[in-house]
Amino acid sequence: MLDRIKTLCCCCCFLYSPKPESTKTPMPEMDGGGLEGIAHRTVEVNGIRIHVAEKGEGPVVLLIHGFPELWYTWRHQIHGLAARGYRAVAPDLRGYGDSDAPLGAAAYSVFHVVGDLIALIDALGQDKVFVVGHDWGALTAWSLCMFRPDKVKALVNLSVPFSPRNPTRKPVEFLRSVYGDDYYICRFQEPGEIEEEFGRLGTTWVLKKFLTYYTPGPLYIPKEGWGSPDDQIILPPWLSEDDIKYYASKFDKTGFTGPLNYYRSLNLNWEFTEPWTGAHILLPTKFIVGDKDLTYNAPGMKDFIDKGGFKKYVPHLEEVVVMKGVGHFINEEKPDEITDHIYNFIKKF
């Protein structure tokens, strides 16, 4: 096991990063949804090409998106942080958007994804950066801080708190035992099956369905009855048809398999991270979540956050913010407030 980890670490830039190359890429097809003034380029890191959106001069803030999102989810924060004297950098993670999408779930292990970010930090000419993550981006940010705290000044994570590794249970089997086979993470496990379902429903419909999910409880995707492509989905005020069109233009091009492979790597990551059982996050941290977020309302999560469990594993957790009446996609739903929260925290360092 340890020999395998060392090999993966070397390949994924934990010990060595080859000199990256970057090329400028054209602006996205749309330019009416807050994209003005954001520069785009492709950076060759860790054996793949990563698309990066950035704006501003000053200390770097690395913004890591989740599912089913893109760099675009951070468009408001990119502008807001750049205006406050920071260089905001938001990549499309591997498998997403204009970044490469390697084949096979094993190429989306935590070592690969974190390795991409370490190499990107080097490509930006930085020793350390501020890190902000949301959803899967938050999970990745926790891992980055656990593996390589030397690369991070301070962390702001949204929606998904740190989850210590349980040495006695694999995550997918545990989730299936609690929620059943129709739980969305369980439905994502079989390669090709959910992609076929998404294809039947259409990219635009699927994105709307996910991005408008506002139920403070588990997300289920039953094999029968999740929805019809004829169903009308009403968008909230913070999400426009142009926003959906931009997301859909990228997912239509690359498909959902790359993003789904993050979920298909959950058990693999559990195996790989055995040496980090009991690890702590030893960096200044701020955590923000909406009280309508499905993650915040998972069984035992509120007690974990409020009664000391979270603080035990993240001892430098300086602040927890629970935003009232806010759902999962918090950085898009409350863009100005989230930008202020990020700025007010990182300006101290």
Side-chain angles (χ1 to χ4, degrees):
M1 172 65 72
L2 286 176
D3 288 341
R4 189 178 184 188
I5 288 170
K6 289 176 182 176
T7 300
L8 281 167
C9 287
C10 290
C11 293
C12 301
C13 302
F14 280 79
L15 302 181
Y16 173 73
S17 300
K19 184 178 180 180
E21 299 177 3
S22 68
T23 57
K24 291 184 178 179
T25 56
M27 286 292 289
E29 293 84 349
M30 299 174 61
D31 200 18
L35 307 185
E36 301 87 348
I38 298 176
H40 296 260
R41 61 185 172 123
T42 299
V43 184
E44 296 186 11
V45 295
N46 203 21
I48 65 171
R49 295 171 299 173
I50 292 289
H51 165 250
V52 173
E54 58 186 327
K55 183 178 182 180
E57 300 291 337
V60 170
V61 184
L62 182 62
L63 303 161
I64 312 174
H65 69 79
F67 174 90
E69 300 174 285
L70 303 164
W71 74 268
Y72 186 84
T73 190
W74 299 110
R75 61 198 179 279
H76 306 293
Q77 287 76 37
I78 291 173
H79 289 300
L81 292 169
R84 290 168 167 85
Y86 291 88
R87 181 184 175 191
V89 178
D92 285 333
L93 297 179
R94 64 167 56 207
Y96 284 88
D98 293 317
S99 293
D100 284 348
L103 298 177
Y108 294 81
S109 78
V110 65
F111 290 150
H112 288 86
V113 179
V114 171
D116 294 346
L117 297 180
I118 293 168
L120 177 58
I121 293 168
D122 291 343
L124 297 170
Q126 303 296 308
D127 293 325
K128 291 187 175 186
V129 298
F130 295 108
V131 174
V132 182
H134 172 255
D135 186 76
W136 258 104
L139 287 170
T140 301
W142 292 123
S143 296
L144 170 61
C145 293
M146 185 168 63
F147 297 149
R148 291 296 301 273
D150 59 302
K151 306 300 288 185
V152 181
K153 296 178 182 177
L155 172 67
V156 180
N157 256 349
L158 314 180
S159 298
V160 181
F162 180 70
S163 180
R165 180 185 183 276
N166 188 316
T168 65
R169 62 191 188 199
K170 291 185 176 181
V172 175
E173 284 71 16
F174 171 71
L175 291 170
R176 185 172 280 115
S177 71
V178 173
Y179 297 112
D181 291 337
D182 286 343
Y183 186 57
Y184 76 106
I185 292 176
C186 300
R187 284 295 316 278
F188 287 174
Q189 294 304 309
E190 183 62 34
E193 182 178 288
I194 199 69
E195 288 95 328
E196 183 178 346
E197 175 77 357
F198 288 173
R200 180 184 69 82
L201 293 167
T203 301
T204 296
W205 189 94
V206 170
L207 289 168
K208 286 183 177 181
K209 188 75 168 180
F210 278 118
L211 293 171
T212 60
Y213 188 79
Y214 207 75
T215 302
L219 171 59
Y220 293 100
I221 304 179
K223 291 186 178 181
E224 301 291 339
W226 194 46
S228 162
D230 296 326
D231 294 342
Q232 296 297 309
I233 300 175
I234 305 301
L235 299 182
W238 53 267
L239 187 65
S240 71
E241 290 289 347
D242 279 345
D243 295 332
I244 293 293
K245 190 180 296 184
Y246 181 80
Y247 281 120
S249 72
K250 301 303 179 182
F251 281 91
D252 274 335
K253 182 179 73 172
T254 60
F256 285 94
T257 297
L260 292 169
N261 279 336
Y262 286 73
Y263 295 91
R264 292 166 184 162
S265 297
L266 280 169
N267 280 351
L268 185 66
N269 290 338
W270 179 83
E271 294 177 7
F272 285 164
T273 54
E274 181 181 358
W276 287 272
T277 301
H280 292 64
I281 303 299
L282 301 176
L283 289 162
T285 301
K286 180 173 184 173
F287 180 71
I288 311 168
V289 67
D291 70 345
K292 302 297 184 183
D293 193 313
L294 72 167
T295 304
Y296 183 63
N297 288 277
M301 187 60 70
K302 292 179 183 178
D303 283 347
F304 176 74
I305 292 173
D306 297 337
K307 296 184 178 180
F310 193 12
K311 180 76 171 178
K312 174 185 175 182
Y313 286 97
V314 189
H316 302 297
L317 179 66
E318 296 190 10
E319 187 177 2
V320 173
V321 178
V322 180
M323 299 182 72
K324 301 298 183 183
V326 180
H328 182 68
F329 297 98
I330 190 169
N331 47 317
E332 294 202 70
E333 185 176 352
K334 296 294 181 181
D336 294 337
E337 291 91 331
I338 292 300
T339 301
D340 288 343
H341 276 301
I342 295 169
Y343 171 70
N344 288 332
F345 185 65
I346 66 176
K347 70 178 182 181
K348 300 186 291 184
F349 302 98

